[in-house]
Amino acid sequence: MPRGPGQAGGRGPASPASPQVPGGTAQPRRPATESPPTSANDRPETAQFNKPRKTPAPISLPPLFHVGIIVEDFDRVVADYEKRWGVSTEQITDLEFPTAKLHREGRPLCPLRLHKDGIFGDRLIQPLGGRSPYTEFLDLHGEGVHHLAYVVGSIDQHLESLRATGEGAPVTFKASIAGRTRFLYLDGLAHGPAIELIEVIGEDA
């Protein structure tokens, strides 16, 4: 009896041949509905660990309060300011910091003379002896800009926020004035000058 097309020995249509691997056995075909294998990173249980971490927001500072300039000869610089810029002397103050800490060492620090000029708002600082961040600056750099100062509501909160961003925020010097104002210097944050944070405390806060 003649065989019809697609028939072989009276049997149904032949199934497609499985691909042959040279020197091996036939490899079974994957069903069309089967999904390709996923990597470990694509699995639901691991995807949550591969989400990018949020970068902490940068720290905002209030407007600049003053620029601290270290000088060797206070009277010479004040006279030069008055002659060249017409700057009048607003305030001259002699200060001491008996409870200050320099590089985490508790010791009385040298007195200094502080001058606030009437135009630029700069602070001219002349160390009057002993060891302090101001004498260290003079020894290393000579006269020049030592710090940028900002008045903040809470020094501790600013330090906590800075360190949350990964900043080391090393405190090189901290002191208080008359128990009503505390301040400190942070190094390595301004590509040169220190950052001074000032907090008003006590009755006038």
Side-chain angles (χ1 to χ4, degrees):
M1 182 175 181
R3 297 173 183 172
Q7 292 182 333
R11 298 179 181 177
S15 59
S18 297
Q20 297 291 327
V21 178
T25 59
Q27 299 296 314
R29 288 181 177 273
R30 182 184 298 120
T33 58
E34 182 179 340
S35 300
T38 58
S39 66
N41 291 336
D42 296 328
R43 294 172 186 167
E45 62 270 19
T46 59
Q48 58 179 325
F49 299 107
N50 298 321
K51 295 180 179 179
R53 295 183 179 179
K54 293 182 178 179
T55 303
I59 305 305
S60 60
L61 286 171
L64 181 66
F65 181 56
H66 73 250
V67 176
I69 301 175
I70 309 301
V71 300
E72 289 184 304
D73 186 336
F74 187 86
D75 294 332
R76 172 183 60 80
V77 175
V78 169
D80 187 50
Y81 266 47
E82 292 178 349
K83 178 181 179 182
R84 179 177 294 124
W85 308 112
V87 175
S88 60
T89 299
E90 280 193 0
Q91 183 179 355
I92 296 178
T93 307
D94 290 347
L95 296 173
E96 293 185 357
F97 308 110
T99 61
K101 289 187 177 181
L102 176 64
H103 306 302
R104 298 184 179 181
E105 300 175 9
R107 64 176 64 188
L109 294 192
C110 74
L112 61 87
R113 181 159 293 171
L114 178 71
H115 163 263
K116 176 183 178 182
D117 72 54
I119 293 182
F120 301 111
D122 295 340
R123 300 298 191 272
L124 303 178
I125 301 170
Q126 177 189 348
L128 301 177
R131 179 172 175 248
S132 73
Y134 316 113
T135 56
E136 288 184 349
F137 184 89
L138 276 176
D139 292 341
L140 290 173
H141 309 287
E143 294 183 325
V145 175
H146 172 261
H147 64 262
L148 309 176
Y150 302 87
V151 178
V152 298
S154 170
I155 288 177
D156 295 333
Q157 287 182 4
H158 269 72
L159 289 179
E160 182 179 348
S161 298
L162 273 171
R163 288 163 180 162
T165 67
E167 297 284 358
V171 177
T172 58
F173 175 74
K174 59 182 178 179
S176 61
I177 302 175
R180 295 189 176 184
T181 302
R182 60 184 290 233
F183 68 97
L184 54 76
Y185 296 137
L186 302 172
D187 198 14
L189 299 178
H191 298 276
I195 295 295
E196 179 183 12
L197 299 182
I198 303 170
E199 178 185 349
V200 179
I201 58 179
E203 296 179 0
D204 296 334

